[in-house]
Amino acid sequence: MDITNGKVPVTVLTGFLGAGKTTLLNRILTENHGKRIAVIENEFGEIGIDDAIVINSDEEIFEMNNGCICCTVRGDLIRILGSLMRRRDKFDYILVETTGLANPAPVAQTFFVDDEIREQLELDGIVTVIDCKHVAMHLGESQECDEQVAFADVILLNKTDLVDDDAVSELEGRIRSRNALAKIYRTSNATIEMEKILNVNGFKLDKALATKPTFLEPEYPFEWGGLFELNGDSKMLVLQDGPDPKMNVLFLRAPDNEAGSITKLAETAVRFFSNNKKQISPGEKIDSSDQLYELSLPEEGSKTFEVALKEPGRYVFYTQHLPEEFSLEICTTSGTIEPIDFEVYDAGHTHDSEVSSVGIDSDGDLDEEKLMNWLGTLLREKGTDIFRMKGILSVAGQNERFIFQGVHMLFDGKRDRPWGDEKRTNQLIFIGRNLNREELVEGFNSCLAKKPHLSFH
Amino acid sequence: MFDPFNRSSSANASRTIKGWVSSALRLSEDHTLLVTELKCTEPDCPPIETVVAVLGPGGQQHQAKVHLAINEITREEALKLALDLQRLMAGEKRDNREDCDGHH
């Protein structure tokens, strides 16, 4: 029997028509894994197994609260699961195949809204099959396609034999930027080991973030980094009028005589850009430290800030906007100092989609009350846009890890095992639409009970 | 206060409510009942409500709500919900009949 905690695991198969869902389904059913599988089919496929329990169903959306996606489930599934559970001795795994145009949220939520269903069934994972050759026309264009990718625990990039490797890699990058949590496998003819798609524990709290989310390059909160050789004379940062009345700036000491300092320090700079900002006005001082400065640039005309050096040497300025937008210069009394090297960064505008992942990775303990307030407000205000979230949190005064996972506003969290010798840390990931990275990081930051040390990806 | 850390299971209470509603409505096996507690997040709404829904074999969906948590629902409350559902189901039957009359 493949029943864990007395619950029957359920895998949901999604993917556009023609992606290879039925091929995968047939593969699962013919594979010698010893599971007796009941299949709930939404799409007319050709299931080639006679003794499998196969139930056809038509998608029935059931809204418990008019128009609220978070309170929407699948009526057909509830009925079928109810009747299936009356003969639960006949199977030990359930597969739900959705149509290519199905929104995964109501399917997933079906397994969380009714406590009797929760007691008997466990949503194990959402597996999304993608046709590498044709997905490009849907990704970023079709809401259903984006959501099927965003909700997935496992993504099969199928039909890789029909496209070249570079195209698959580019596609994988686009998919990863939408969903940093999912395991992505490249397949042709939906050939894959069963253990990669069944019993993946995608919604199991204890396994939340068991594997660290994979992020591509971090999204940089700055657009420019410039390396300067500065001697002991007094230095000034001078800006002219620009498109924004404020700008974030970080000033870091760089190792002398070492190539590539800007790139090497960029990851540190990303972390420091999440620190609390110190607002300063023209005439005030910028130190080389982990302090993030918000330059206040209200008045017209030239604005000058003092640059304080610890010692002569190499320093990097990371600026939120490009220097040319503000005619930014580092000056001494005798003239302008040119950077000896610089890098331009894409400041978080690299996604080709409004669907994305935001990860927060932070040391420090959280104030439980502030955390609850923040999460409560976040789910209330943004629950519709947050598709999935997972996290492991370090709460001040608690010896145990706090773990959570959620689908839209359906939130499940509990105290887990003690931290023991493990380093206390916070890891959260949100996948959703129109997520505001800065707002999420700032909100989280405000819950820290101690000085924050944050990085975000 | 919203407490995301405190979602308790109410499977037994949910089963009991389903039993009360099901026998009050004399539901057959092909009807499924759903009992769910919604923590309403709109400013003007009560903070908690329980939805009891009947899903019929032909895709019929009816729901009744009460501003109580699942664990607070008494037999009396459940019977009131059943009565609401009965009215909705009767209304649907009447509508269907009228539709049929209209067509023929």
Side-chain angles (χ1 to χ4, degrees):
Chain A
M1 297 283 277
D2 195 9
I3 297 175
T4 50
N5 312 324
K7 298 183 184 188
V8 181
V10 182
T11 293
V12 175
L13 282 184
T14 72
F16 265 37
L17 191 67
K21 284 196 305 285
T22 307
T23 311
L24 179 64
L25 193 54
N26 276 322
R27 203 170 277 289
I28 295 170
L29 292 174
T30 48
E31 205 66 30
N32 185 22
H33 44 54
K35 296 177 175 62
R36 294 171 306 156
I37 296 177
V39 181
I40 302 173
E41 245 198 329
N42 263 166
E43 211 155 56
F44 288 108
E46 292 171 8
I47 294 184
I49 296 299
D50 295 335
D51 57 353
I53 301 175
V54 181
I55 301 164
N56 281 301
S57 98
D58 290 323
E59 183 172 339
E60 287 165 24
I61 295 295
F62 176 48
E63 291 183 354
M64 290 177 287
N65 205 350
N66 278 347
C68 171
I69 182 67
C70 311
C71 303
T72 301
V73 296
R74 284 278 295 271
D76 56 322
L77 280 182
I78 287 172
R79 280 190 296 106
I80 289 167
L81 292 169
S83 69
L84 259 184
M85 292 318 283
R86 284 197 283 273
R87 39 180 178 151
R88 64 181 291 178
D89 56 324
K90 303 272 191 255
F91 59 90
D92 38 33
Y93 208 104
I94 297 176
L95 275 176
V96 179
E97 184 192 19
T98 69
T99 68
L101 291 174
N103 178 345
V107 182
Q109 285 166 179
T110 298
F111 297 91
F112 296 100
V113 289
D114 183 294
D115 284 325
E116 219 184 333
I117 294 178
R118 281 165 62 101
E119 195 183 59
Q120 298 177 321
L121 301 163
E122 184 162 76
L123 179 57
D124 175 67
I126 297 177
V127 176
T128 297
V129 188
I130 283 176
D131 171 354
C132 285
K133 188 156 172 73
H134 294 110
V135 75
M137 70 177 94
H138 302 303
L139 210 55
E141 299 295 327
S142 149
Q143 190 173 322
E144 290 84 7
C145 182
D146 278 352
E147 291 187 3
Q148 287 171 8
V149 166
F151 270 92
D153 297 283
V154 177
I155 295 172
L156 302 194
L157 298 181
N158 196 31
K159 304 193 179 182
T160 47
D161 48 326
L162 303 181
V163 283
D164 63 48
D165 280 356
D166 287 349
V168 180
S169 297
E170 199 233 315
L171 176 63
E172 187 170 340
R174 293 177 67 194
I175 284 171
R176 179 60 74 205
S177 76
R178 287 165 170 79
N179 184 339
L181 262 185
K183 292 245 172 68
I184 301 178
Y185 300 105
R186 298 179 181 198
T187 59
S188 64
N189 215 14
T191 306
I192 184 142
E193 295 92 329
M194 289 301 108
E195 62 268 24
K196 289 182 174 159
I197 50 173
L198 303 180
N199 294 121
V200 297
N201 295 316
F203 290 83
K204 205 169 227 167
L205 266 182
D206 305 1
K207 307 283 180 186
L209 298 180
T211 45
K212 209 175 170 186
T214 319
F215 294 102
L216 285 178
E217 283 198 324
E219 274 193 10
Y220 296 100
F222 41 83
E223 292 187 345
W224 188 81
L227 179 68
F228 293 85
E229 183 88 56
L230 302 175
N231 61 27
D233 295 344
S234 64
K235 305 284 176 300
M236 289 163 293
L237 179 72
V238 183
L239 300 97
Q240 306 303 324
D241 295 342
D244 202 341
K246 57 191 183 185
M247 173 157 72
N248 296 336
V249 167
L250 187 71
F251 183 45
L252 295 179
R253 177 79 166 98
D256 295 323
N257 307 318
E258 197 179 300
S261 295
I262 305 174
T263 309
K264 283 178 189 161
L265 280 174
E267 200 177 314
T268 309
V270 169
R271 279 215 327 274
F272 292 164
F273 257 77
S274 300
N275 289 348
N276 287 324
K277 292 183 276 205
K278 181 179 179 184
Q279 201 178 60
I280 58 170
S281 301
E284 292 190 79
K285 194 170 67 172
I286 298 170
D287 281 307
S288 68
S289 68
D290 61 358
Q291 179 64 59
L292 178 69
Y293 293 97
E294 182 184 275
L295 308 184
S296 182
L297 311 167
E299 291 152 24
E300 286 185 13
S302 181
K303 290 157 276 277
T304 303
F305 297 83
E306 185 189 337
V307 177
L309 302 184
K310 284 193 178 105
E311 54 191 347
R314 290 185 165 190
Y315 290 84
V316 183
F317 270 102
Y318 291 96
T319 60
Q320 186 187 359
H321 302 296
L322 293 171
E324 48 265 37
E325 292 179 80
F326 292 84
S327 307
L328 181 147
E329 289 179 325
I330 307 292
C331 304
T332 63
T333 45
S334 53
T336 303
I337 304 173
E338 294 297 330
I340 50 177
D341 191 11
F342 69 88
E343 290 277 348
V344 176
Y345 297 89
D346 273 331
H349 309 308
T350 50
H351 289 313
D352 62 352
S353 161
E354 53 191 20
V355 176
S356 65
S357 299
V358 173
I360 297 175
D361 194 344
S362 145
D363 295 341
D365 291 339
L366 296 156
D367 180 300
E368 185 164 350
E369 197 182 331
K370 286 182 188 169
L371 179 67
M372 282 196 288
N373 281 332
W374 174 62
L375 280 172
T377 310
L378 185 67
L379 295 183
R380 187 168 63 238
E381 293 176 355
K382 309 276 185 199
T384 306
D385 281 339
I386 297 173
F387 300 157
R388 290 188 68 174
M389 62 190 146
K390 286 187 179 188
I392 299 170
L393 304 175
S394 165
V395 176
Q398 303 291 343
N399 289 328
E400 298 89 12
R401 312 184 323 161
F402 181 80
I403 52 180
F404 72 87
Q405 70 102 12
V407 177
H408 284 309
M409 286 173 197
L410 300 173
F411 184 97
D412 208 0
K414 69 170 187 184
R415 297 212 164 87
D416 183 37
R417 61 178 165 77
W419 286 99
D421 293 338
E422 194 183 342
K423 189 184 173 215
R424 293 179 72 115
T425 182
N426 302 288
Q427 288 180 346
L428 305 80
I429 181 158
F430 299 92
I431 299 173
R433 176 177 288 121
N434 300 325
L435 297 182
N436 186 322
R437 186 174 300 268
E438 264 195 34
E439 241 175 59
L440 284 170
V441 173
E442 257 176 45
F444 178 83
N445 219 357
S446 71
C447 303
L448 283 164
K450 290 182 181 171
K451 189 176 185 294
H453 291 288
L454 258 181
S455 73
F456 64 104
H457 306 273
Chain B
M1 187 170 60
F2 172 83
D3 181 3
F5 295 1
N6 196 21
R7 195 180 188 284
S8 55
S9 172
S10 312
N12 286 334
S14 172
R15 239 188 314 273
T16 307
I17 295 165
K18 286 178 186 176
W20 287 330
V21 173
S22 179
S23 54
L25 294 175
R26 295 194 186 88
L27 290 179
S28 58
E29 266 209 344
D30 54 6
H31 285 76
T32 305
L33 281 168
L34 173 76
V35 175
T36 190
E37 192 178 281
L38 300 180
K39 287 192 171 71
C40 195
T41 54
E42 297 301 321
D44 296 333
C45 285
I48 202 154
E49 63 179 0
T50 294
V51 177
V52 178
V54 182
L55 304 169
Q60 307 93 326
Q61 303 172 345
H62 298 291
Q63 56 175 306
K65 295 178 182 180
V66 60
H67 295 149
L68 292 171
I70 288 180
N71 288 323
E72 294 169 341
I73 294 178
T74 59
R75 186 165 184 273
E76 199 185 355
E77 292 290 346
L79 294 179
K80 277 189 210 163
L81 288 165
L83 205 58
D84 288 345
L85 288 165
Q86 193 175 36
R87 284 195 198 106
L88 291 166
M89 291 162 80
E92 182 192 67
K93 274 185 193 155
R94 201 171 43 244
D95 289 348
N96 282 346
R97 221 171 22 244
E98 280 165 10
D99 280 353
C100 289
D101 292 347
H103 285 302
H104 298 290

